[in-house]
Structures are given as C-alpha cells and as structure tokens.
Amino acid sequence: MKHSKTVLTGKSLPAFTLTELLVVLAIIGILILMALPRLMPLIAKAKSTEAQIQLAHVYTLQKSYYYMYSRYSPDLEETGFEQEVLVTEDGSANYEIEIISADATGFIARATAVVDFDGDGNYNVWEIDQNKKLKEITRD
C-alpha cells in the first residue's frame, strides 16, 4: 500500500495502487472459474424448482377445471395458465410448459427446459399427472 498526498491539504493518505487492485480482481476471477464446474449441478437443481412450481400450478388449475367441466383441458390457456416469456425470448422463464395429454380421466403436463443449464447437451424435463405425481423425465 502506498501513500498519496491530497492536493488541498498535503496530507498523506493510505491507498491501493491500480496494479494492486487489478491483481486482486484477477485472483478472484481465477477462483470463480475454478469453483464454477462444481456449482453447475447446484444451479441446475435450483432452476428445476421453477419447473416443479409451475407444474404444481398447472395441476391446481387442471383440478379446478375438472371440477367445473368434469374433464381435464388439453389447452393451458383454457385453464387460465399464462406461460411466462422464455429466457430465449428475453424473458425470465427457463421452462416451457405444455399439456401432453388430457381427457375425462386424466392429464399429463410437461415442463421442458429451454436452456442447457450445465452444458452437457441434456435439457431438463419434468412431468405431472392428475394424481399430482411429479417426476423428472430427463436430468440435466
């Protein structure tokens, strides 16, 4: 640490040089790059929570629809579900929600990731049915 003099008072104040600050930033960057591969599975798991919450919401909407019309709806909009804008379209949603099948006895809804969270080529997929059975179809 060097001392620098202020122009007005002439007093010497402790301060870091630009070089010292850049060295510290470079070290922090290297540490982050070393830790990132270990954090990727945790990031993918945290983002999968979005799919689970959205599918639980679809389940609730489908049950309400069923109580009103004695059948499940094949159309998400008909149940009142609104798909958030996807991250691929400058939105915030990481999963695209869709109804795979629906009739008078049951339904299957699917959440498919639009982003490969850990870069391994697999896209996370979750499904839920009329019994609220939530399962991960494809792991990321």
Side-chain angles (χ1 to χ4, degrees):
M1 189 174 349
K2 295 191 177 190
H3 293 278
S4 63
K5 292 187 177 185
T6 60
V7 177
L8 298 176
T9 63
K11 291 182 182 178
S12 184
L13 299 173
F16 293 105
T17 65
L18 181 59
T19 306
E20 291 170 329
L21 290 175
L22 290 175
V23 168
V24 170
L25 288 175
I27 291 171
I28 291 172
I30 291 168
L31 291 173
I32 289 172
L33 287 175
M34 288 172 40
L36 196 58
R38 290 186 180 169
L39 295 176
M40 290 310 290
L42 295 174
I43 293 169
K45 186 175 182 178
K47 290 191 185 242
S48 72
T49 304
E50 175 189 336
Q52 297 169 36
I53 290 170
Q54 291 294 330
L55 288 175
H57 181 58
V58 169
Y59 169 82
T60 303
L61 292 171
Q62 283 283 24
K63 280 297 183 182
S64 296
Y65 188 89
Y66 179 80
Y67 293 139
M68 291 176 63
Y69 301 105
S70 299
R71 65 179 176 87
Y72 294 102
S73 174
D75 183 15
L76 281 173
E77 288 182 20
E78 196 172 36
T79 65
F81 182 82
E82 292 182 26
Q83 172 71 55
E84 294 287 326
V85 179
L86 300 172
V87 294
T88 55
E89 300 166 357
D90 294 328
S92 60
N94 292 299
Y95 287 85
E96 184 173 13
I97 311 299
E98 60 186 330
I99 300 293
I100 301 303
S101 65
D103 56 27
T105 60
F107 76 94
I108 297 174
R110 179 178 290 162
T112 305
V114 295
V115 176
D116 182 9
F117 301 121
D118 59 5
D120 64 357
N122 295 327
Y123 289 81
N124 195 222
V125 179
W126 287 82
E127 286 184 357
I128 196 167
D129 64 13
Q130 71 282 351
N131 298 319
K132 205 172 184 179
K133 183 179 175 187
L134 183 66
K135 61 182 177 179
E136 188 174 29
I137 305 302
T138 306
R139 291 186 72 117
D140 187 9

